[in-house]
Amino acid sequence: MTYKVNEKKDGKITVDFSINADEWEAEVQKAYEKNKGKYKLDGFRQGKIPRKVLEKTYGEFLFYEDALNSVCDNSFFEMLEKETDIHAVDYPDISVKNVSKDGVEWVATITLVPDVTLGKYEGIEVAKSKVSVTEKEVDAKLAELQEKVARYVDVTDRPAKMGDLVNIDFVGSMNGVAFEGGTAKDYELELGSHTFIAGFEDQVAGMSIDENKDVNVTFPEQYGAKELAGKPAVFAVKLLAIREKQVPAIDDKFAEDVSEFNTLAELKKDTKEKIKAEKEKTAERELEEKLVDAVVANAELSVPECMVNNQINRAVEDMKRSLAAQGMSYEMYLAYVGMTDKELRDSRKADVEKQIRTTLVLNELVKKEGIKAEDAEIEAKIEELAANMKKKPAELKKTMNPSQREVIENNIVSEKVIKLLKEKNTIK
């Protein structure tokens, strides 16, 4: 195989490939060996039909397409191994110039990882959010804690009301016929949680223990099950039990029960400090994002559409696998969210392009500044991870694969990039 790399133009490069008659004959023979078992002819055992007989019967070009695909693939990747300056972002477009017994000539048009021209990344002025905590925020956090320690007690002397936890049996039907998935026994439901179709919980409120009632509802137009979407249904409901939520008063005893503090004042002070610390972390993350966004905005590059589409394709395939593991098809998910496949993919294009742009710009910055993860830094990170996992570093290293070590290296480099940007820019 021979090839010639041409000049780069508009983010692409063309490569002229050719193979001689002997190389082409070897590829066609490989294609014959791979595919000969697919054919049947009277007088021959399947898989034992001579190549010349098959080519005479079906045409002399019978194995050319498979051979051509193979030779183009192998030649492309062989060329990439040698031409280390060529960074392709996708499989190339192939244009065949000539195919004959004397050999093959073709042209591969390759989309390249875009060049990045860094703009200003020093002397940028960014603002960091001021952090403060109000008493209202502290009270809200204590109310969350109050909800967590709430308990439910059985109620028998009144009907159910919003906020109660009830146990119910129900059978859903449409035009008198029960539908799939509409039946349950001893189902626990918090009234007011909006778990069920609109109107269902409102009608269960007011029921007494052992009472039976027909609850009339209409399924939403965008409901996941198309046979039910937008249609009226009746649920025959029986109320089995009522439990009332009881929350403790927020006082010194509450503080003593839910924390290491003896007084509410101490708990409030600690809660305020924790909220502030969390807000400080958020403000720091937002600052880092502003710095990175500014550097990316100042850079010049053009992201190829195929690069964006490839990343979206990978994300969609990951989504399909994740949904399948949960027992849901991709098509069912699209119906549930009310989107087509194209609409979902289009909705992600802007974010994916931004991610790619950011990665390329930061990689160029890393290259320009000579930032790298030193061996000692990697070892220190491994020791830190091992300590968190309560393992010895040597023990952790035995179980680590190259990709896990690469993640550690990338994290170290990312930390250094952020540190560099904070040092070289003005933070208000």
Side-chain angles (χ1 to χ4, degrees), residues 233-264:
V234 178
F235 284 86
V237 178
K238 181 176 181 179
L239 187 67
L240 306 175
I242 304 169
R243 284 182 288 163
E244 182 179 63
K245 182 191 289 186
Q246 291 188 348
V247 294
I250 299 179
D251 52 20
D252 287 345
K253 185 177 185 308
F254 172 78
E256 194 173 348
D257 290 340
V258 302
S259 71
E260 70 272 28
F261 303 109
N262 296 320
T263 67
L264 180 59

Side-chain angles (χ1 to χ4, degrees), residues 131 133 138 141 145 258-261 266-282:
V131 171
V133 182
V138 173
K141 187 62 71 174
L145 189 55
V258 302
S259 71
E260 70 272 28
F261 303 109
E266 290 174 305
L267 176 58
K268 280 190 171 185
K269 180 183 177 183
D270 180 71
T271 302
K272 187 172 185 177
E273 289 172 354
K274 287 178 178 175
I275 295 173
K276 185 178 181 182
E278 191 59 40
K279 282 191 169 188
E280 288 285 0
K281 286 182 183 178
T282 300

Side-chain angles (χ1 to χ4, degrees), residues 342-355:
K342 183 179 183 304
E343 287 170 341
L344 183 139
R345 291 172 185 271
D346 287 346
S347 71
R348 302 199 169 191
K349 279 188 176 181
D351 286 341
V352 169
E353 183 174 346
K354 181 181 178 182
Q355 290 168 9

Side-chain angles (χ1 to χ4, degrees), residues 8-13 87 89 110-115 302 304:
K8 183 170 67 173
K9 183 179 179 182
D10 298 329
K12 295 183 179 182
I13 198 166
H87 303 290
V89 299
I110 305 167
T111 301
L112 303 172
V113 173
D115 292 328
S302 178

Side-chain angles (χ1 to χ4, degrees), residues 272-386:
K272 187 172 185 177
E273 289 172 354
K274 287 178 178 175
I275 295 173
K276 185 178 181 182
E278 191 59 40
K279 282 191 169 188
E280 288 285 0
K281 286 182 183 178
T282 300
E284 197 66 24
R285 284 195 300 270
E286 290 174 349
L287 168 67
E288 292 169 2
E289 288 174 7
K290 286 179 184 178
L291 283 168
V292 170
D293 287 347
V295 173
V296 173
N298 291 338
E300 292 181 12
L301 73 157
S302 178
V303 179
E305 187 176 3
C306 65
M307 205 172 184
V308 176
N309 290 336
N310 286 345
Q311 190 156 320
I312 291 174
N313 289 340
R314 287 192 291 271
V316 169
E317 290 306 313
D318 287 344
M319 179 189 292
K320 287 179 179 179
R321 285 189 288 270
S322 177
L323 289 169
Q326 300 172 52
M328 179 184 286
S329 69
Y330 177 62
E331 292 70 25
M332 187 182 297
Y333 171 78
L334 289 175
Y336 180 77
V337 298
M339 299 177 79
T340 64
D341 175 68
K342 183 179 183 304
E343 287 170 341
L344 183 139
R345 291 172 185 271
D346 287 346
S347 71
R348 302 199 169 191
K349 279 188 176 181
D351 286 341
V352 169
E353 183 174 346
K354 181 181 178 182
Q355 290 168 9
I356 294 171
R357 187 177 294 274
T358 299
T359 299
L360 292 173
V361 171
L362 292 185
N363 285 347
E364 187 65 22
L365 180 59
V366 165
K367 183 179 172 183
K368 181 173 181 179
E369 291 288 338
I371 299 172
K372 62 180 181 178
E374 304 292 346
D375 289 341
E377 294 170 325
I378 296 170
E379 290 299 316
K381 282 289 184 183
I382 292 173
E383 288 178 10
E384 184 182 329
L385 282 172

